[in-house]
Amino acid sequence: TTMEDTPRKRPRRAQIANFGAGPGTLHPAVLAELAQQIEDYEGSGVSLLEMSHRTSMGPVQSTLVSASSAVRKLLKVPDSYEVLWMQGGGHGQFSAVPLNLLGNKKSADFVDTGIWTHRAMDEASKYCQVRIAARTEDNARIPPVSSWDLSDDAAYVHICLNDTISGLEFLDDPDIGDKLLVADCTSTLLSRPVRVERYAALYCASGKNLGPAGVCLLIVRRSVLGRARPDTPMVLNWQLAAETSPVPCLVNTPPVFAVWACKLVLEQMLKDFGDMDVVEQRVRRRAAKIYDVIDRSSGFYVNVIEGKFRSQTTLCFTFGADKDFKREWDGSITSKVQKTELEEKFTEQAGAHGMMELQGHPAFGGIRVCLYNALADEAVDRLVTFMEAFHQKHGPA
């Protein structure tokens, strides 16, 4: 009897592997610390969630400072950059980027790598002209920077470092000279070292590697602050967030729980890995195991992304037998995925073995394997074993 065809009773938490695209799995030590401290924070008799953010260098402000310090240490953020904790998620920054960076310019350039680029363009189009400077080739590769049609009239160039829907990733940081480069790095930050100095701004919504949903990390070069349009909402104004005293991010009450949880995640990473080079080695090793199963399956599993652009955090594939299956998507992120028979069997049988949230995005379908840092190595190995058994059972005779 193989692992693939012997369902068990629904497992306890310790046996569950969450491969979801977000919210992603959290480290057990982080959950334990949150649970232990949530009612009585560090012996104060009060929850951190009840404490005032106005107390000068009290627990809330100290949490913001510690979280930012951990970001600086892990990502080697230069002193010339601000580390800010913004509200509104990545979608908030889709608006904040043009509002803060347009200055007196009237257009922005975008490198189109998929649906998340389109979302950012839709929001930016409310404030400026949007231009596509480059787009993916056959949805399989990102064109080289030398071929990008960048305009001198554009205020900035926007990229999405990892498209979670197709599994296409910038695995290094583009160099566009003195033009302002902005990146949505929500699903890839903390998976590899980043050359922060190449960017005017990087933003990362929590819910993936960073911690639970509820806050958006912004790393922004100080020299680009001060360009915000007069009609920029206070909560989206980067300069206002950077200049509150005695610590940044006190324009309004900060999302204390989310920042606290992110701080614990970042500190756990520093403890477990030390630096991003060690993290990247582990990320690449784990992704290679899944891609190896796909590539050895003789077309049973299909991933069309060219090797050097294959996502290391959101690995997407379909089944060769489903190549003619047509899907319709209404554009809603809460739409149900239209699954093929093989996709239904794969997700159902994986779920019976405690491997959850393996369905693809409604726009793409297929299977999506998200390997965020808190997912245990054992879970990756368990999925590899399952994929091999599933292929043996359902592949061509």
Side-chain angles (χ1 to χ4, degrees), residues 18-26 206-209 211-214 356-357 370 372:
N18 176 10
F19 290 93
T25 194
L26 289 164
S206 57
K208 322 283 190 188
N209 273 331
M356 319 301 287
E357 299 292 335
C370 297
Y372 297 131

Side-chain angles (χ1 to χ4, degrees), residues 93-110:
Q93 295 307 305
F94 292 165
S95 295
V97 170
L99 287 167
N100 283 278
L101 288 185
L102 280 171
N104 58 9
K105 295 200 170 184
K106 294 180 169 56
S107 71
D109 283 349
F110 286 78

Side-chain angles (χ1 to χ4, degrees), residues 317-335:
F317 61 88
T318 54
F319 294 96
D322 296 337
K323 66 180 185 298
D324 297 323
F325 185 76
K326 296 283 185 279
R327 294 174 216 272
E328 290 182 11
W329 181 47
D330 64 7
S332 167
I333 59 169
T334 56
S335 294

Side-chain angles (χ1 to χ4, degrees), residues 3-5 301 345-347 349-351 353 355 358 381-391:
M3 176 183 180
E4 183 267 322
D5 59 15
Y301 299 119
K345 285 179 178 174
F346 187 96
T347 53
Q349 292 170 15
H353 292 286
M355 291 173 281
L358 283 160
D381 293 337
R382 203 187 335 160
L383 180 60
V384 166
T385 301
F386 173 81
M387 286 175 66
E388 289 171 338
F390 191 86
H391 175 209

